[in-house]
Amino acid sequence: MRVDHIGYAVKNINKAKTSMEALGYTFEPIVKDMDRNIYICFGEMDGYRVELIAPMGNSSPVDKYLSKNGPTPYHICYKSAEIETDIEKLKASRFKVSIPLAQAIGFGNRRVVFMYSLSVGLIEIVED
Ligand code: NI
């Protein structure tokens, strides 16, 4: 697997984008993910990718990170050429699925899964 991006939970996606642009990131257009109730926006600088995720109304997957920590990086996403195999390998290393494998509009409908480890926290995997 290779690192794909760092995901930030943010409250206001436009303000977050402006702040990250001041750091030198260039952003793609904002995408609305109606399945997950979030706005998503990918940015890039020197080959490093970031993903801004903001809640759209109530009950989004980033609510608990925002209420606990405020705007914050909260996951690293890895790209996998064999996502089912990698999920099984990680399960054997005590990672648990926290959001099951499903297509995501923010990734052009490629499948993503979130997994959690008690020792390193949350990760995301996207199929390559
Ligand atoms: Ni992500």
Side-chain angles (χ1 to χ4, degrees):
M1 294 197 291
R2 291 178 297 126
V3 172
D4 184 73
H5 65 262
I6 298 173
Y8 283 72
V10 302
K11 287 178 183 163
N12 180 310
I13 202 145
N14 288 305
K15 286 183 181 169
K17 198 168 155 261
T18 302
S19 298
M20 296 298 269
E21 281 167 349
L23 289 169
Y25 288 90
T26 304
F27 282 88
E28 296 170 17
I30 296 170
V31 174
K32 279 185 187 182
D33 186 334
M34 306 301 275
D35 295 332
R36 295 172 179 76
N37 244 354
I38 48 176
Y39 295 103
I40 302 175
C41 192
F42 282 98
E44 190 270 333
M45 175 169 62
D46 291 337
Y48 288 91
R49 297 220 309 147
V50 294
E51 172 192 42
L52 306 177
I53 304 117
M56 190 193 296
N58 293 326
S59 75
S60 89
V62 292
D63 290 344
K64 80 173 169 199
Y65 297 98
L66 286 171
S67 59
K68 244 196 234 169
N69 305 307
T72 181
Y74 79 106
H75 71 259
I76 293 180
C77 178
Y78 300 87
K79 219 178 233 182
S80 166
E82 293 181 60
I83 198 162
E84 277 97 353
T85 308
D86 284 329
I87 291 169
E88 290 313 310
K89 273 189 202 160
L90 289 167
K91 278 183 183 169
S93 298
R94 310 184 75 181
F95 281 77
K96 293 201 163 111
V97 172
S98 66
I99 304 177
L101 193 60
Q103 289 189 322
I105 190 166
F107 290 98
N109 284 326
R110 281 181 289 154
R111 292 176 302 164
V112 303
V113 62
F114 280 86
M115 299 185 82
Y116 190 86
S117 150
L118 282 176
S119 52
V120 295
L122 189 68
I123 65 160
E124 178 183 28
I125 306 170
V126 60
E127 65 186 341
D128 205 351

